[in-house]
Amino acid sequence: MERNLARFLSVAFIVVNALLLLLVNKSKRPSKTPYQVGVHQESKGMPVHSMKADVSVTTHLYGYRQEIRRDRTSCLDITFAGNGTCLLPSTALASFPGSGNTWVRHLIELSTGFYTGGMYRDPTLQRAFPGEGDRTRRVITIKTHWPWVGKVDPVGYERVVLIIRTPLDAMKAEFTRQHSSERSHVDQVQTINQTAWQKFVKSQIVKYQRFHDFWFNISEKKSLDFFVLFYDDMRENTAQILINLAHFLGISDIRDQLPCIHANMEGSFHRKAPGTAEVADPFGALDETLSKGIDKIAQIVNKQVRSCLKKGVCLTSRSTQLKTL
């Protein structure tokens, strides 16, 4: 009798442990359904020169969020995943050209401790970004301008960080890059050929709309984790945005790294915006037709942001619409 009871208890113990193991493994699997998010609460503006650590971490549940733990004494301690850590979910860092992708990459690397990759092999960026051209899971995000450029992006993304910048500001930045020496990411241009500038804007208006249509549509269709990053938020509320973006990417709390990030914030490729105290604006006023076209595409993108928030399939850095110029 006692022998049978012992055998029964032994079998029951094995069954219970097997069930617990199955439950644990199931809980680790990424969700295939859209995650539920909410709009970030408005917080006090924090300009770039202020990187206070007394801001909260806004947390959400994501289908492909992978908790990453790295012991770092400095934000300059950056590596590829796989060096003592697991490989990362494939994450697009998508932006219309001129929207600040390069500067955001720099801040992501400082914040997370992992190199960023890119669909392209820009020789001007390879010195500062060892992951330039890397499309694997060794990098925390992969820079892409698809479908703005003709080259097909073959990466099967699970997550998307979409950088959105006011259309005219993005077009000014890209026009400047294309017309500076060696297509530099930092050089300025002193004079602008107004005919070439107006023609450039006309050609970019449709591309700007199609670019954002693509990423909003594919993110919803494929239930990708989707973080809409407004460039102006990054400029005006840097610490809070970096904390929330790092959480999205898998780093729960970077507040201890904020002083280091602040000291190294600008990086090598952050061009000053024209029309600021540091840089005069050489661009002339657009004609009425182009101005209306710019306003229209901004309104379309704002509508797309509001729609994805309402459906609960995305979250934003803080803002819910582009600023008007």
Side-chain angles (χ1 to χ4, degrees), residues 110-249:
L110 294 180
S111 301
T112 66
F114 291 101
Y115 289 123
T116 58
M119 277 299 301
Y120 320 104
R121 291 179 173 83
D122 188 337
T124 65
L125 296 179
Q126 287 177 331
R127 295 188 305 275
F129 296 102
E132 176 68 8
D134 195 319
R135 310 170 191 174
T136 70
R137 295 176 183 271
R138 300 194 311 153
V139 293
I140 191 78
T141 61
I142 301 170
K143 172 183 177 178
T144 180
H145 294 316
W146 171 255
W148 185 85
V149 294
K151 185 178 181 180
V152 175
D153 187 337
V155 180
Y157 297 111
E158 296 160 324
R159 311 186 298 192
V160 176
V161 177
L162 174 64
I163 307 172
I164 299 181
R165 189 176 187 181
T166 303
L168 188 58
D169 288 347
M171 292 174 193
K172 285 181 178 180
E174 178 60 11
F175 185 87
T176 298
R177 187 189 70 84
Q178 291 189 16
H179 290 80
S180 61
S181 60
E182 300 181 356
R183 297 203 166 193
S184 167
H185 290 262
V186 294
D187 288 353
Q188 300 288 346
V189 291
Q190 302 302 318
T191 58
I192 297 293
N193 181 313
Q194 291 301 318
T195 301
W197 164 235
Q198 305 266 342
K199 183 178 180 181
F200 177 80
V201 172
K202 183 178 181 180
S203 69
Q204 298 304 297
I205 287 177
V206 174
K207 288 185 176 182
Y208 185 94
Q209 180 179 335
R210 288 178 177 173
F211 173 86
H212 292 90
D213 286 347
F214 174 83
W215 285 105
F216 278 99
N217 290 339
I218 196 171
S219 295
E220 182 175 354
K221 181 180 179 181
K222 294 190 175 183
S223 298
L224 306 180
D225 291 356
F226 192 21
F227 189 101
V228 178
L229 173 59
F230 283 90
Y231 178 83
D232 284 332
D233 284 350
M234 186 66 86
R235 286 290 304 165
E236 298 171 5
N237 205 28
T238 315
Q240 184 70 75
I241 305 315
L242 286 180
I243 288 170
N244 293 341
L245 177 57
H247 180 270
F248 175 83
L249 294 173

Side-chain angles (χ1 to χ4, degrees), residues 295-309:
D295 288 342
K296 182 179 180 180
I297 57 174
Q299 291 170 9
I300 291 172
V301 171
N302 287 339
K303 184 177 180 180
Q304 289 171 321
V305 174
R306 290 193 299 270
S307 176
C308 80
L309 287 172

Side-chain angles (χ1 to χ4, degrees), residues 100-114:
N101 197 305
T102 305
W103 183 49
V104 172
R105 283 179 69 180
H106 170 69
L107 294 176
I108 287 175
E109 292 190 352
L110 294 180
S111 301
T112 66
F114 291 101

